[in-house]
Amino acid sequence: MTDVIGISPIRTTPENMRVIENETDQGRVYTMAVGNSFSPKNLSVTASADGLVTIRGGDAKGDGETYRVAQAFERSFKIPDDVSADHLSAMMRDGQVVIQMPKKSLVPPTTDAETGTKQEHGSE
């Protein structure tokens, strides 16, 4: 695994949460260590139309009266054009967010319900 080249963080908290990229024959896998203090229900992964993937997380602990500890992060990165963010899958494993995206060339084309024409993923 190597650091993602050409991906610059938009906003990062804390600084040591790096996104690591691993390219496979099937696509790309991105991992980011978040630790075991975040539960999967407090994490979200979204992809925008312009190829930006954002990982967000937050957690608050305490008894509500005498103390409260809150932590949050947001990390965004740009994905390469050869993968399909439309088929993104994400899961939490061993304190890491794992995001998988297949290569566009491996995603079967869909048929437009109205026109009956096939459309390749990622084509306009």
Side-chain angles (χ1 to χ4, degrees), residues 103-121:
K103 290 183 178 179
K104 287 180 182 176
S105 62
L106 298 176
V107 177
T110 57
T111 302
D112 185 297
E114 290 181 21
T115 65
T117 58
K118 289 191 176 186
Q119 182 176 353
E120 298 293 324
H121 290 280

Side-chain angles (χ1 to χ4, degrees), residues 71-93:
Q71 56 184 348
F73 71 89
E74 179 178 295
R75 180 72 188 240
S76 296
F77 59 95
K78 189 107 170 119
I79 59 170
D81 291 334
D82 68 337
V83 295
S84 174
D86 293 338
H87 293 84
L88 174 150
S89 67
M91 69 175 145
M92 180 85 168
R93 182 175 56 209

Side-chain angles (χ1 to χ4, degrees), residues 1-123:
M1 288 190 195
T2 60
D3 282 282
V4 177
I5 297 172
I7 294 178
S8 58
I10 306 302
R11 190 175 120 201
T12 307
T13 311
E15 288 296 325
N16 64 347
M17 293 180 140
R18 297 182 314 156
V19 175
I20 307 296
E21 176 184 45
N22 184 17
E23 186 171 2
T24 69
D25 292 340
Q26 302 299 311
R28 296 183 193 248
V29 177
Y30 299 89
T31 57
M32 185 178 89
V34 295
N36 292 320
S37 61
F38 293 100
S39 76
K41 69 178 182 173
N42 294 330
L43 295 170
S44 71
V45 178
T46 58
S48 64
D50 61 352
L52 193 67
V53 173
T54 301
I55 307 166
R56 289 183 183 93
D59 199 13
K61 297 178 180 165
D63 63 10
E65 289 184 27
T66 58
Y67 78 98
R68 182 171 184 236
V69 176
Q71 56 184 348
F73 71 89
E74 179 178 295
R75 180 72 188 240
S76 296
F77 59 95
K78 189 107 170 119
I79 59 170
D81 291 334
D82 68 337
V83 295
S84 174
D86 293 338
H87 293 84
L88 174 150
S89 67
M91 69 175 145
M92 180 85 168
R93 182 175 56 209
D94 299 327
Q96 294 188 355
V97 175
V98 179
I99 303 166
Q100 297 177 316
M101 285 176 266
K103 290 183 178 179
K104 287 180 182 176
S105 62
L106 298 176
V107 177
T110 57
T111 302
D112 185 297
E114 290 181 21
T115 65
T117 58
K118 289 191 176 186
Q119 182 176 353
E120 298 293 324
H121 290 280
S123 63

